[in-house]
């Protein structure tokens, strides 16, 4: 059994606070959307807006951190071993086959993870961010030359982003249990240390 | 035994205390109303630089209204000329946008329908004396009625049927009531003139449509001494606005119009002295474009929603029901002795009157909501009506893609009224008068139609019927305190107040049902997928363990 220190303190903090915020934003966002009633529309809007500012602040820190530490390289996509990963999730995982990917400090994410997180970074987040900003400053859009953007399109993209986030969230939570033991990955994100079978 | 007697005594005592405190409370209420009136009078006296009781021109026992006007004009030399150019005098308004000739004199509504042939009756609310038919001299200065607007005593009342005059001799009023109305003391009224007030404006505008609260829904006598919940601006013990505070007037021209309203104002607060021809009566003219300080998101609504929509949650909130429907087609039913019927509903309001037909009323009414850009199009006399569909007496124009449109609250008044089938037009008919042609005298539609249509300049075709009509009234008075404004969810909700308003994206109102189904579908598939995957993992690992 080998132990490696994968997730640094800031990374873990970032992960869990972001997780909490995203769950909260899904919860409040879909209430604003009218899908159900928990906090009441008015509160949902207030909380959602507040959480939006929090998550923006968090992301600003995270972006800064990734560039100063060079950790952004973790998200450079690779197709190498993607097929092996897919095959592992389809068959290997059921037959106790060895995991085709070895985590190291320089390469924390398996190739499928890399692709998925990159998708979150370059598609889902920007869609949510930009539509979210537009939503927030809807009546001042003319100032930046976006006066032609109508609320229904802004909301359309924001809700599409929200659904993508929801789907990502489901898959992500499940795959967090797909380490060499169901809790291995989760423990790693709490303590920073990943155990792997050797 | 003892205990029961004791408890009865005890109960009596409580009841007595309760009654005492209630009556003293009532007395207190009366007192406070009295003090309000007194302080108002005191204020007025102290503010004016002229005491009209001291003017020699007014030390006179006036015989008639025009005589008083002549006295007023001795000092206020230009006043009558100014009044002559206003809608209050001409009852006419040329809509610059549609070129339609409007004004009370020209339009047909679905209440008493038309002024034509009924002037002697209707002119009780004209700012003049003597308009009984087309021979009225609109150029004569003494024909202007100064007192109806400038009276401060509340004793000056014009009587329907007297062509705009008050009664100068004792007369029975209301008719057949057995009550005698003493003539008005013109000297006293003339010596107590002052600025217009809620009472003076209200003496006509609260009673439009033939009675208190009947017409507008947001204007009735509850606004004379309103409490805060009814009107934040007019609250008698609070800001105590007169009508003129918003309807700023100049040279007797009163601003604000129902014929060509300002539906959208994004020009910000109006600075004093800045005369750029804009309407000073809008909410924005005082409150500016970003009135919500605590909760800025609300300011994002102003490009779509009129202030009134949220801040006037209901109309007729002053406990005086407003008329909602009027069906003329049932008029004329008499009792077994051939006498006029007047049937009251459980609330004591007249629900049927032989002269007028059936009515319904409502209090605290939730408005209907429409896009409105300030442009109102009327169905006027002579405009084609074919009886096949509901006639829109007026239509509020505008729509979601028009930047000058806002969502407005309206009272929609629904009715059924005569139309001339042969001439294909809404009818003008003769209602009030002492002659046998008046509908209210003999209940004979044929006669009333003949005279009315002729007065409007058209020969009656001989065939009349009743057609359904709708008329919209913008709701803009009775502004509630902010705590009583609509809450977000009253609109942001699938079944919210704006459910019938087209073309607006309303967060929270189930706007994207297709996307929701697809998105939720994929999310559920993902969930099922991972559950299945996990299930298989559990099964296979158990096997592996064996
Ligand atoms: C995980 C992140 C987020 C999710 C899942 C999410 C989800 C949602 C959803 C479903 C709605 C309802 C849209 C509608 O029905 O019209 C919504 C509304 C909104 N979202 Fe987000 N959102 C997220 C992040 C953000 C961010 C980062 C911002 C700002 C930059 C933002 C700003 C808004 C605004 C302004 C609204 C309109 C309601 C309001 O004023 O609160 N959201 N969000």
């Amino acid at each position: 059994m080998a132990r490696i220190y994968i997730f640094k303190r800031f990374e873990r903090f970032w992960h869990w606070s972001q997780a909490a915020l995203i769950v909260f934003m899904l919860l409040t966002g879909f209430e604003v959307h009218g899908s159900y009633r928990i906090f009441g529309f008015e509160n949902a809007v207030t909380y959602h807006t507040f959480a939006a500012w929090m998550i923006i602040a968090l992301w600003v820190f995270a972006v800064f951190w990734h560039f100063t530490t060079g950790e952004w390289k973790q998200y450079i996509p690779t197709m190498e071993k993607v097929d092996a990963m897919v095959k592992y999730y389809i068959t290997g995982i059921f037959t106790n086959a060895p995991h085709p990917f070895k985590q190291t400090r320089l390469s924390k994410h398996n190739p499928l993870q890399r692709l998925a997180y990159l998708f979150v970074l370059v598609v889902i987040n920007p869609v949510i961010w930009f539509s979210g900003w537009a939503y927030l400053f809807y009546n001042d859009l003319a100032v930046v030359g976006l006066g032609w953007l109508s609320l229904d399109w802004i909301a359309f993209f924001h809700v599409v982003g929200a659904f993508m986030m929801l789907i990502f969230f489901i898959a992500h939570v499940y795959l967090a249990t797909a380490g060499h033991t169901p809790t291995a990955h989760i423990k790693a994100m709490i303590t920073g240390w990943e155990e792997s079978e050797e | 035994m003892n205990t029961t007697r004791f408890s009865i005594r005890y109960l009596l005592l409580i009841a007595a205390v309760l009654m005492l405190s209630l009556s003293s409370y009532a007395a207190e209420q009366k007192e406070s109303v009295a003090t309000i009136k007194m302080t108002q009078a005191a204020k007025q006296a102290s503010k004016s630089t002229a005491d009209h009781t001291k003017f020699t021109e007014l030390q006179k026992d006036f015989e008639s209204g025009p005589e008083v006007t002549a006295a007023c004009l001795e000092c206020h030399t230009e006043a009558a000329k100014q009044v002559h150019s206003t809608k209050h005098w001409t009852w006419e308004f040329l809509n610059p946008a549609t070129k339609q000739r409007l004004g009370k004199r020209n339009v047909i509504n679905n209440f008493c329908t038309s002024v034509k042939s009924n002037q002697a009756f209707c002119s009780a609310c004209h700012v003049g004396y003597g308009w009984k038919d087309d021979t009225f001299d609109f150029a004569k200065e003494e024909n202007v009625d100064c007192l109806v607007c400038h009276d401060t005593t509340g004793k000056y009342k014009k009587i329907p049927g007297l062509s705009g005059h008050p009664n100068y001799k004792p007369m029975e009023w209301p008719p057949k009531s057995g009550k005698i109305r003493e003539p008005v003391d013109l000297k006293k009224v003339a010596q107590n003139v002052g600025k217009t007030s809620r009472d003076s404006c209200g003496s006509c505008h609260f009673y439009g449509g033939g009675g208190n609260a009947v017409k507008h829904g947001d204007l009735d006598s509850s606004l004379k001494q309103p409490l805060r919940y009814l009107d934040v601006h007019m609250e008698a013990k609070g800001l105590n606005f007169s009508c003129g505070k918003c309807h700023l007037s100049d040279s007797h021209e009163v601003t604000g119009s129902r014929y060509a309203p300002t539906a959208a104002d994004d020009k910000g607060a109006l600075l004093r002295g800045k005369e750029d021809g804009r309407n000073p009566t809008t909410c924005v003219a005082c409150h500016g474009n970003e009135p919500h300080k605590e909760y800025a998101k609300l300011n994002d609504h102003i490009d779509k929603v009129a202030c009134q929509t949220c801040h006037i949650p209901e109309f007729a909130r002053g406990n005086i029901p407003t008329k909602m429907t009027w069906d003329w087609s049932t008029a004329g039913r008499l009792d077994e002795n051939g006498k006029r019927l007047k049937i009251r509903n459980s609330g004591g309001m007249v629900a049927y009157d032989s002269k007028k037909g059936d009515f319904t009323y409502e209090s605290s009414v939730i408005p209907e909501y429409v896009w409105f850009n300030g442009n109102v199009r009327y169905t006027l006399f002579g405009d084609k009506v074919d009886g096949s569909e509901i006639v829109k007496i007026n239509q509020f124009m505008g729509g979601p893609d028009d930047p000058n449109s806002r969502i407005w609250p309206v009272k929609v008044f629904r009715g059924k009224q005569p139309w001339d089938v042969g001439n294909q037009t809404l009818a003008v008919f003769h209602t009030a008068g002492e002659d046998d042609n008046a509908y209210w005298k003999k209940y004979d539609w044929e006669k009333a139609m003949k005279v009315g249509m002729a007065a409007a300049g058209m020969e009656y075709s001989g065939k009349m019927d009743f057609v359904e009509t709708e008329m919209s009234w913008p709701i803009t008075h009775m502004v509630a305190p902010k705590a009583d404004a609509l809450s977000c969810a009253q609109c942001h909700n699938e079944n919210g107040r704006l459910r019938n308003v087209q073309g607006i994206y309303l967060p929270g109102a189930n706007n994207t049902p297709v996307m929701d189904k697809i998105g939720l579908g994929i999310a559920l598939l993902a969930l099922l997928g991972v559950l299945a995957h996990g299930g298989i993992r559990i099964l296979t690992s158990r096997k592996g363990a064996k």
Side-chain angles (χ1 to χ4, degrees), chain B residues 434-505:
Chain B
E434 288 307 312
D435 54 302
D436 283 354
N437 295 318
Y439 185 77
W440 289 351
K441 205 80 191 167
K442 293 287 174 200
Y443 305 104
D444 183 339
W445 280 120
E446 294 301 313
K447 282 184 183 158
M449 287 287 291
K450 213 170 185 167
V451 172
M453 292 296 285
M458 203 183 274
E459 194 181 331
Y460 172 46
S461 72
K463 188 164 170 14
M464 61 92 67
D465 201 351
F466 297 88
V467 64
E468 280 182 54
T469 55
E470 274 179 15
M471 185 170 192
S472 296
W473 297 82
I475 295 300
T476 189
H477 304 102
M478 296 187 177
V479 177
K482 68 177 168 187
D484 294 337
L486 292 192
S487 69
C488 307
Q490 280 176 282
C491 295
H492 288 279
N493 174 329
E494 201 173 338
N495 299 311
R497 291 211 179 182
L498 303 186
R499 61 188 174 277
N500 295 326
V501 177
Q502 301 302 313
I504 185 158
Y505 182 87

Side-chain angles (χ1 to χ4, degrees), chain A residues 25-26 29 32-33 45 48-49 52 128 132 135-136 155 158-159 162, chain B residues 505:
Chain A
M25 300 209 72
L26 280 167
V32 171
H33 187 60
V45 168
H48 194 79
T49 312
I128 291 191
Y135 219 139
L136 216 46
H158 201 68
V159 177
Chain B
Y505 182 87

